[in-house]
Amino acid sequence: MENKFLYKYILTSFIVVFVFPYLLTKLPLKEWGLILSIIYFLIILPIYFITAPLTYKNKSKILWFLPIVNIILFWLTSILFFNSGITVYLAIYVPLSYFAITIKYFSQSNQ
């Protein structure tokens, strides 16, 4: 069960964190690519980094590993497609992920 979820999670993370930015860099109009990149980095990715680990149902050690998958993919994306220091966003996204996991962990332990 955990392996099936983990494969599905990695595939979803790959699509959201790796494929979408690749498609943004290949848009024919650079203005649209810039606008969509801003929306992607400031709205879509923070929401994904918060909600993605919360889809896991059980309390186990694998829950704390899930944001690391996103971190690695995001870091590769920033190096391969944007050639810049976009990894600064990780200082925002990673604490959000672990904060959401902590809240889920303690809310489930009270039930």
Side-chain angles (χ1 to χ4, degrees):
M1 176 67 180
E2 285 189 10
N3 288 338
K4 185 177 178 182
F5 172 79
L6 188 59
Y7 295 138
K8 190 169 127 179
Y9 182 84
I10 291 173
L11 179 65
T12 306
S13 292
F14 181 77
I15 291 171
V16 171
V17 179
F18 201 78
V19 174
F20 286 165
Y22 173 75
L23 295 176
L24 288 175
T25 60
K26 298 303 176 190
L27 286 174
L29 296 174
K30 295 297 178 185
E31 293 83 16
W32 280 104
L34 178 64
I35 292 168
L36 292 175
S37 292
I38 291 170
I39 292 170
Y40 176 75
F41 285 115
L42 295 179
I43 297 172
I44 295 173
L45 270 184
I47 292 172
Y48 180 74
F49 267 74
I50 291 171
T51 58
L54 299 180
T55 59
Y56 191 66
K57 304 288 186 246
N58 299 335
K59 289 193 318 186
S60 69
K61 292 180 182 180
I62 197 169
L63 181 64
W64 300 98
F65 166 76
L66 297 178
I68 295 172
V69 172
N70 292 338
I71 292 167
I72 293 169
L73 288 173
F74 184 80
W75 182 72
L76 287 174
T77 301
S78 68
I79 290 173
L80 293 176
F81 302 137
F82 296 104
N83 296 329
S84 65
I86 295 180
T87 54
V88 171
Y89 284 108
L90 290 176
I92 299 167
Y93 299 156
V94 173
L96 286 175
S97 294
Y98 282 112
F99 185 67
I101 291 171
T102 304
I103 289 174
K104 179 182 178 179
Y105 186 81
F106 287 117
S107 69
Q108 284 182 348
S109 66
N110 291 336
Q111 293 177 357

